[in-house]
Amino acid sequence: MRHGKKINHLGRQKGHRKALMKNLSCAIIEHKRINTTLAKAKALRVYLEPLVTKSKSNDTHNRRVVFSYLQDKEAIKELFDVVAPRVANRPGGYLRVIKTGFRQGDGAETAMIEFVDFNDVYSTSGKTSSGRRRRRGGKSKAAAPVSNTSEEE
């Protein structure tokens, strides 16, 4: 029984899986968007988002902690100097996974994973906001009640 075992092993031994996550993380930090299988993209999101959170505070300890996960100096520089300032005001959810269909050769479900703040097509900078952030829905003040009078009279 596999009670309480939440990690997706991706059909690999521990060392191979660890190397795969390192390489995928470095690739997405460098290119800001990669195409891979859906299972790998979901596993990568769980692996990389805590590292992006650590990169938001740029100090020696966090650099060393993130370096222990990635083992790539260029990726660390890119993460702390380019990515972290762009996601500084975001409270999590730095990566987006978009399903892109099925691979021709083996039928594996593929996905594109990207940093949310680096996609100009989906950017929310053009939208106007009320200044107050809400996590849940609710009644907005802009919605006016609908009257029951009709114009046909």
Side-chain angles (χ1 to χ4, degrees), residues 5-37:
K5 297 183 180 179
K6 295 180 181 177
I7 187 170
N8 187 352
H9 295 289
L10 300 173
R12 290 162 170 82
Q13 298 291 323
K14 182 180 179 181
H16 188 186
R17 188 169 54 249
K18 197 171 169 185
L20 174 73
M21 289 296 117
K22 284 181 184 181
N23 288 328
L24 286 175
S25 298
C26 292
I28 196 168
I29 290 169
E30 180 184 349
H31 300 293
K32 310 299 184 274
R33 174 185 300 158
I34 58 172
N35 291 311
T36 183
T37 63

mmCIF file of all heavy atoms in Angstrom, residues 5-37:
data_model
loop_
_atom_site.group_PDB
_atom_site.id
_atom_site.type_symbol
_atom_site.label_atom_id
_atom_site.label_comp_id
_atom_site.label_asym_id
_atom_site.label_seq_id
_atom_site.Cartn_x
_atom_site.Cartn_y
_atom_site.Cartn_z
ATOM 1 N N LYS A 5 2.058 8.587 0.410
ATOM 2 C CA LYS A 5 3.199 8.815 -0.465
ATOM 3 C C LYS A 5 2.723 9.664 -1.641
ATOM 4 O O LYS A 5 2.108 9.160 -2.575
ATOM 5 C CB LYS A 5 3.781 7.491 -0.952
ATOM 6 C CG LYS A 5 4.323 6.658 0.187
ATOM 7 C CD LYS A 5 4.957 5.394 -0.326
ATOM 8 C CE LYS A 5 5.481 4.572 0.819
ATOM 9 N NZ LYS A 5 6.094 3.334 0.380
ATOM 10 N N LYS A 6 3.010 10.961 -1.566
ATOM 11 C CA LYS A 6 2.437 11.884 -2.534
ATOM 12 C C LYS A 6 3.335 12.178 -3.718
ATOM 13 O O LYS A 6 2.898 12.751 -4.694
ATOM 14 C CB LYS A 6 2.101 13.205 -1.834
ATOM 15 C CG LYS A 6 1.032 13.052 -0.786
ATOM 16 C CD LYS A 6 0.724 14.358 -0.134
ATOM 17 C CE LYS A 6 -0.339 14.178 0.925
ATOM 18 N NZ LYS A 6 -0.634 15.412 1.636
ATOM 19 N N ILE A 7 4.612 11.837 -3.654
ATOM 20 C CA ILE A 7 5.543 12.199 -4.718
ATOM 21 C C ILE A 7 5.316 11.301 -5.940
ATOM 22 O O ILE A 7 5.063 10.104 -5.812
ATOM 23 C CB ILE A 7 7.001 12.107 -4.222
ATOM 24 C CG1 ILE A 7 7.952 12.646 -5.269
ATOM 25 C CG2 ILE A 7 7.351 10.704 -3.819
ATOM 26 C CD1 ILE A 7 9.363 12.815 -4.778
ATOM 27 N N ASN A 8 5.375 11.907 -7.106
ATOM 28 C CA ASN A 8 5.307 11.149 -8.347
ATOM 29 C C ASN A 8 6.719 10.705 -8.689
ATOM 30 O O ASN A 8 7.603 11.529 -8.900
ATOM 31 C CB ASN A 8 4.730 12.022 -9.468
ATOM 32 C CG ASN A 8 4.479 11.242 -10.736
ATOM 33 O OD1 ASN A 8 4.860 10.079 -10.841
ATOM 34 N ND2 ASN A 8 3.849 11.880 -11.697
ATOM 35 N N HIS A 9 6.949 9.418 -8.739
ATOM 36 C CA HIS A 9 8.298 8.899 -8.952
ATOM 37 C C HIS A 9 8.725 8.957 -10.410
ATOM 38 O O HIS A 9 9.896 8.770 -10.715
ATOM 39 C CB HIS A 9 8.403 7.474 -8.423
ATOM 40 C CG HIS A 9 8.238 7.389 -6.933
ATOM 41 N ND1 HIS A 9 9.186 7.846 -6.060
ATOM 42 C CD2 HIS A 9 7.219 6.935 -6.168
ATOM 43 C CE1 HIS A 9 8.778 7.660 -4.825
ATOM 44 N NE2 HIS A 9 7.572 7.117 -4.853
ATOM 45 N N LEU A 10 7.802 9.194 -11.319
ATOM 46 C CA LEU A 10 8.094 9.376 -12.746
ATOM 47 C C LEU A 10 8.828 8.187 -13.354
ATOM 48 O O LEU A 10 9.521 8.324 -14.352
ATOM 49 C CB LEU A 10 8.915 10.654 -12.965
ATOM 50 C CG LEU A 10 8.255 11.959 -12.518
ATOM 51 C CD1 LEU A 10 9.246 13.100 -12.625
ATOM 52 C CD2 LEU A 10 7.015 12.246 -13.335
ATOM 53 N N GLY A 11 8.685 7.020 -12.763
ATOM 54 C CA GLY A 11 9.303 5.815 -13.315
ATOM 55 C C GLY A 11 10.811 5.816 -13.248
ATOM 56 O O GLY A 11 11.470 5.201 -14.086
ATOM 57 N N ARG A 12 11.396 6.520 -12.260
ATOM 58 C CA ARG A 12 12.842 6.662 -12.168
ATOM 59 C C ARG A 12 13.307 6.382 -10.741
ATOM 60 O O ARG A 12 12.547 6.515 -9.801
ATOM 61 C CB ARG A 12 13.261 8.080 -12.547
ATOM 62 C CG ARG A 12 13.080 8.385 -14.009
ATOM 63 C CD ARG A 12 13.091 9.879 -14.256
ATOM 64 N NE ARG A 12 13.154 10.186 -15.666
ATOM 65 C CZ ARG A 12 12.109 10.193 -16.470
ATOM 66 N NH1 ARG A 12 10.916 9.899 -15.995
ATOM 67 N NH2 ARG A 12 12.240 10.475 -17.733
ATOM 68 N N GLN A 13 14.583 6.046 -10.624
ATOM 69 C CA GLN A 13 15.202 5.938 -9.313
ATOM 70 C C GLN A 13 15.403 7.340 -8.737
ATOM 71 O O GLN A 13 15.289 8.345 -9.445
ATOM 72 C CB GLN A 13 16.551 5.219 -9.421
ATOM 73 C CG GLN A 13 16.456 3.799 -9.930
ATOM 74 C CD GLN A 13 15.789 2.865 -8.942
ATOM 75 O OE1 GLN A 13 15.980 2.989 -7.737
ATOM 76 N NE2 GLN A 13 14.994 1.930 -9.452
ATOM 77 N N LYS A 14 15.744 7.422 -7.459
ATOM 78 C CA LYS A 14 15.837 8.716 -6.787
ATOM 79 C C LYS A 14 16.892 9.628 -7.413
ATOM 80 O O LYS A 14 16.638 10.817 -7.652
ATOM 81 C CB LYS A 14 16.155 8.511 -5.312
ATOM 82 C CG LYS A 14 16.227 9.803 -4.548
ATOM 83 C CD LYS A 14 16.552 9.594 -3.096
ATOM 84 C CE LYS A 14 16.626 10.934 -2.393
ATOM 85 N NZ LYS A 14 16.959 10.777 -0.979
ATOM 86 N N GLY A 15 18.057 9.105 -7.707
ATOM 87 C CA GLY A 15 19.125 9.933 -8.277
ATOM 88 C C GLY A 15 18.778 10.456 -9.659
ATOM 89 O O GLY A 15 19.050 11.620 -9.993
ATOM 90 N N HIS A 16 18.161 9.605 -10.466
ATOM 91 C CA HIS A 16 17.758 10.020 -11.812
ATOM 92 C C HIS A 16 16.657 11.072 -11.754
ATOM 93 O O HIS A 16 16.671 12.055 -12.499
ATOM 94 C CB HIS A 16 17.291 8.800 -12.583
ATOM 95 C CG HIS A 16 17.034 9.055 -14.038
ATOM 96 N ND1 HIS A 16 16.492 8.107 -14.865
ATOM 97 C CD2 HIS A 16 17.233 10.138 -14.821
ATOM 98 C CE1 HIS A 16 16.361 8.610 -16.096
ATOM 99 N NE2 HIS A 16 16.809 9.843 -16.077
ATOM 100 N N ARG A 17 15.722 10.890 -10.839
ATOM 101 C CA ARG A 17 14.626 11.857 -10.681
ATOM 102 C C ARG A 17 15.154 13.201 -10.192
ATOM 103 O O ARG A 17 14.736 14.262 -10.646
ATOM 104 C CB ARG A 17 13.601 11.279 -9.700
ATOM 105 C CG ARG A 17 12.338 12.047 -9.582
ATOM 106 C CD ARG A 17 11.283 11.296 -8.804
ATOM 107 N NE ARG A 17 11.726 10.856 -7.491
ATOM 108 C CZ ARG A 17 11.933 9.587 -7.144
ATOM 109 N NH1 ARG A 17 11.740 8.611 -8.001
ATOM 110 N NH2 ARG A 17 12.316 9.281 -5.924
ATOM 111 N N LYS A 18 16.107 13.169 -9.283
ATOM 112 C CA LYS A 18 16.706 14.393 -8.760
ATOM 113 C C LYS A 18 17.449 15.145 -9.863
ATOM 114 O O LYS A 18 17.332 16.371 -9.996
ATOM 115 C CB LYS A 18 17.660 14.013 -7.625
ATOM 116 C CG LYS A 18 18.073 15.120 -6.720
ATOM 117 C CD LYS A 18 18.827 14.528 -5.533
ATOM 118 C CE LYS A 18 19.503 15.601 -4.732
ATOM 119 N NZ LYS A 18 20.327 15.039 -3.659
ATOM 120 N N ALA A 19 18.203 14.417 -10.679
ATOM 121 C CA ALA A 19 18.918 15.041 -11.793
ATOM 122 C C ALA A 19 17.946 15.615 -12.821
ATOM 123 O O ALA A 19 18.176 16.696 -13.376
ATOM 124 C CB ALA A 19 19.841 14.022 -12.451
ATOM 125 N N LEU A 20 16.851 14.914 -13.063
ATOM 126 C CA LEU A 20 15.834 15.395 -14.003
ATOM 127 C C LEU A 20 15.237 16.709 -13.522
ATOM 128 O O LEU A 20 15.094 17.665 -14.300
ATOM 129 C CB LEU A 20 14.731 14.338 -14.144
ATOM 130 C CG LEU A 20 13.518 14.747 -14.970
ATOM 131 C CD1 LEU A 20 13.872 14.772 -16.440
ATOM 132 C CD2 LEU A 20 12.365 13.810 -14.716
ATOM 133 N N MET A 21 14.895 16.798 -12.239
ATOM 134 C CA MET A 21 14.319 18.035 -11.705
ATOM 135 C C MET A 21 15.319 19.184 -11.750
ATOM 136 O O MET A 21 14.954 20.325 -12.045
ATOM 137 C CB MET A 21 13.829 17.815 -10.268
ATOM 138 C CG MET A 21 12.595 16.955 -10.168
ATOM 139 S SD MET A 21 11.174 17.715 -10.942
ATOM 140 C CE MET A 21 10.834 16.548 -12.220
ATOM 141 N N LYS A 22 16.580 18.911 -11.477
ATOM 142 C CA LYS A 22 17.613 19.950 -11.575
ATOM 143 C C LYS A 22 17.711 20.482 -12.998
ATOM 144 O O LYS A 22 17.747 21.693 -13.225
ATOM 145 C CB LYS A 22 18.983 19.406 -11.160
ATOM 146 C CG LYS A 22 19.182 19.247 -9.693
ATOM 147 C CD LYS A 22 20.584 18.737 -9.415
ATOM 148 C CE LYS A 22 20.782 18.475 -7.946
ATOM 149 N NZ LYS A 22 22.138 18.012 -7.626
ATOM 150 N N ASN A 23 17.766 19.582 -13.953
ATOM 151 C CA ASN A 23 17.926 19.997 -15.348
ATOM 152 C C ASN A 23 16.699 20.743 -15.860
ATOM 153 O O ASN A 23 16.822 21.754 -16.562
ATOM 154 C CB ASN A 23 18.223 18.785 -16.231
ATOM 155 C CG ASN A 23 19.608 18.253 -16.004
ATOM 156 O OD1 ASN A 23 20.531 18.998 -15.699
ATOM 157 N ND2 ASN A 23 19.768 16.949 -16.135
ATOM 158 N N LEU A 24 15.509 20.255 -15.525
ATOM 159 C CA LEU A 24 14.295 20.956 -15.947
ATOM 160 C C LEU A 24 14.199 22.329 -15.292
ATOM 161 O O LEU A 24 13.789 23.308 -15.928
ATOM 162 C CB LEU A 24 13.059 20.126 -15.611
ATOM 163 C CG LEU A 24 12.787 18.897 -16.481
ATOM 164 C CD1 LEU A 24 11.600 18.119 -15.931
ATOM 165 C CD2 LEU A 24 12.526 19.285 -17.915
ATOM 166 N N SER A 25 14.593 22.425 -14.028
ATOM 167 C CA SER A 25 14.554 23.706 -13.328
ATOM 168 C C SER A 25 15.504 24.707 -13.964
ATOM 169 O O SER A 25 15.139 25.873 -14.181
ATOM 170 C CB SER A 25 14.913 23.524 -11.856
ATOM 171 O OG SER A 25 13.996 22.686 -11.223
ATOM 172 N N CYS A 26 16.706 24.276 -14.264
ATOM 173 C CA CYS A 26 17.678 25.171 -14.901
ATOM 174 C C CYS A 26 17.196 25.591 -16.286
ATOM 175 O O CYS A 26 17.363 26.751 -16.692
ATOM 176 C CB CYS A 26 19.034 24.499 -14.995
ATOM 177 S SG CYS A 26 19.815 24.248 -13.389
ATOM 178 N N ALA A 27 16.565 24.681 -17.018
ATOM 179 C CA ALA A 27 16.066 25.007 -18.353
ATOM 180 C C ALA A 27 14.937 26.034 -18.290
ATOM 181 O O ALA A 27 14.905 26.976 -19.090
ATOM 182 C CB ALA A 27 15.585 23.737 -19.057
ATOM 183 N N ILE A 28 14.019 25.881 -17.357
ATOM 184 C CA ILE A 28 12.909 26.834 -17.293
ATOM 185 C C ILE A 28 13.372 28.184 -16.762
ATOM 186 O O ILE A 28 12.854 29.230 -17.169
ATOM 187 C CB ILE A 28 11.722 26.278 -16.475
ATOM 188 C CG1 ILE A 28 10.483 27.111 -16.759
ATOM 189 C CG2 ILE A 28 12.019 26.251 -15.012
ATOM 190 C CD1 ILE A 28 9.220 26.512 -16.251
ATOM 191 N N ILE A 29 14.368 28.203 -15.887
ATOM 192 C CA ILE A 29 14.904 29.484 -15.420
ATOM 193 C C ILE A 29 15.605 30.202 -16.565
ATOM 194 O O ILE A 29 15.477 31.420 -16.715
ATOM 195 C CB ILE A 29 15.855 29.263 -14.223
ATOM 196 C CG1 ILE A 29 15.048 28.838 -12.999
ATOM 197 C CG2 ILE A 29 16.659 30.516 -13.919
ATOM 198 C CD1 ILE A 29 15.888 28.349 -11.844
ATOM 199 N N GLU A 30 16.301 29.458 -17.402
ATOM 200 C CA GLU A 30 17.020 30.069 -18.525
ATOM 201 C C GLU A 30 16.077 30.526 -19.630
ATOM 202 O O GLU A 30 16.198 31.639 -20.137
ATOM 203 C CB GLU A 30 18.025 29.068 -19.094
ATOM 204 C CG GLU A 30 18.812 29.600 -20.264
ATOM 205 C CD GLU A 30 19.735 28.561 -20.860
ATOM 206 O OE1 GLU A 30 19.916 27.484 -20.249
ATOM 207 O OE2 GLU A 30 20.272 28.816 -21.946
ATOM 208 N N HIS A 31 15.110 29.696 -20.004
ATOM 209 C CA HIS A 31 14.259 29.981 -21.166
ATOM 210 C C HIS A 31 12.902 30.568 -20.805
ATOM 211 O O HIS A 31 12.180 31.014 -21.701
ATOM 212 C CB HIS A 31 14.052 28.701 -21.977
ATOM 213 C CG HIS A 31 15.323 28.123 -22.494
ATOM 214 N ND1 HIS A 31 16.093 28.737 -23.447
ATOM 215 C CD2 HIS A 31 15.975 26.977 -22.165
ATOM 216 C CE1 HIS A 31 17.158 27.993 -23.710
ATOM 217 N NE2 HIS A 31 17.118 26.919 -22.943
ATOM 218 N N LYS A 32 12.496 30.511 -19.557
ATOM 219 C CA LYS A 32 11.225 31.030 -19.034
ATOM 220 C C LYS A 32 10.014 30.219 -19.477
ATOM 221 O O LYS A 32 8.917 30.451 -19.028
ATOM 222 C CB LYS A 32 10.983 32.502 -19.414
ATOM 223 C CG LYS A 32 12.133 33.431 -19.130
ATOM 224 C CD LYS A 32 12.469 33.486 -17.667
ATOM 225 C CE LYS A 32 13.547 34.491 -17.379
ATOM 226 N NZ LYS A 32 14.889 33.998 -17.530
ATOM 227 N N ARG A 33 10.179 29.259 -20.368
ATOM 228 C CA ARG A 33 9.069 28.433 -20.856
ATOM 229 C C ARG A 33 9.659 27.187 -21.498
ATOM 230 O O ARG A 33 10.566 27.278 -22.311
ATOM 231 C CB ARG A 33 8.286 29.220 -21.897
ATOM 232 C CG ARG A 33 7.203 28.428 -22.572
ATOM 233 C CD ARG A 33 6.553 29.223 -23.677
ATOM 234 N NE ARG A 33 5.972 30.438 -23.149
ATOM 235 C CZ ARG A 33 5.708 31.519 -23.883
ATOM 236 N NH1 ARG A 33 5.987 31.522 -25.156
ATOM 237 N NH2 ARG A 33 5.160 32.576 -23.326
ATOM 238 N N ILE A 34 9.132 26.014 -21.132
ATOM 239 C CA ILE A 34 9.583 24.778 -21.756
ATOM 240 C C ILE A 34 8.385 23.885 -22.032
ATOM 241 O O ILE A 34 7.326 24.037 -21.427
ATOM 242 C CB ILE A 34 10.617 24.017 -20.888
ATOM 243 C CG1 ILE A 34 10.052 23.685 -19.513
ATOM 244 C CG2 ILE A 34 11.917 24.784 -20.766
ATOM 245 C CD1 ILE A 34 10.940 22.773 -18.692
ATOM 246 N N ASN A 35 8.570 22.943 -22.952
ATOM 247 C CA ASN A 35 7.561 21.936 -23.262
ATOM 248 C C ASN A 35 8.059 20.595 -22.753
ATOM 249 O O ASN A 35 9.210 20.213 -23.012
ATOM 250 C CB ASN A 35 7.318 21.858 -24.770
ATOM 251 C CG ASN A 35 6.648 23.090 -25.288
ATOM 252 O OD1 ASN A 35 5.649 23.536 -24.730
ATOM 253 N ND2 ASN A 35 7.188 23.674 -26.336
ATOM 254 N N THR A 36 7.197 19.881 -22.043
ATOM 255 C CA THR A 36 7.541 18.581 -21.495
ATOM 256 C C THR A 36 6.250 17.795 -21.303
ATOM 257 O O THR A 36 5.190 18.240 -21.736
ATOM 258 C CB THR A 36 8.320 18.748 -20.169
ATOM 259 O OG1 THR A 36 8.701 17.460 -19.698
ATOM 260 C CG2 THR A 36 7.504 19.463 -19.127
ATOM 261 N N THR A 37 6.332 16.641 -20.661
ATOM 262 C CA THR A 37 5.113 15.885 -20.406
ATOM 263 C C THR A 37 4.366 16.506 -19.227
ATOM 264 O O THR A 37 4.944 17.232 -18.416
ATOM 265 C CB THR A 37 5.423 14.411 -20.089
ATOM 266 O OG1 THR A 37 6.197 14.344 -18.900
ATOM 267 C CG2 THR A 37 6.161 13.750 -21.232
#
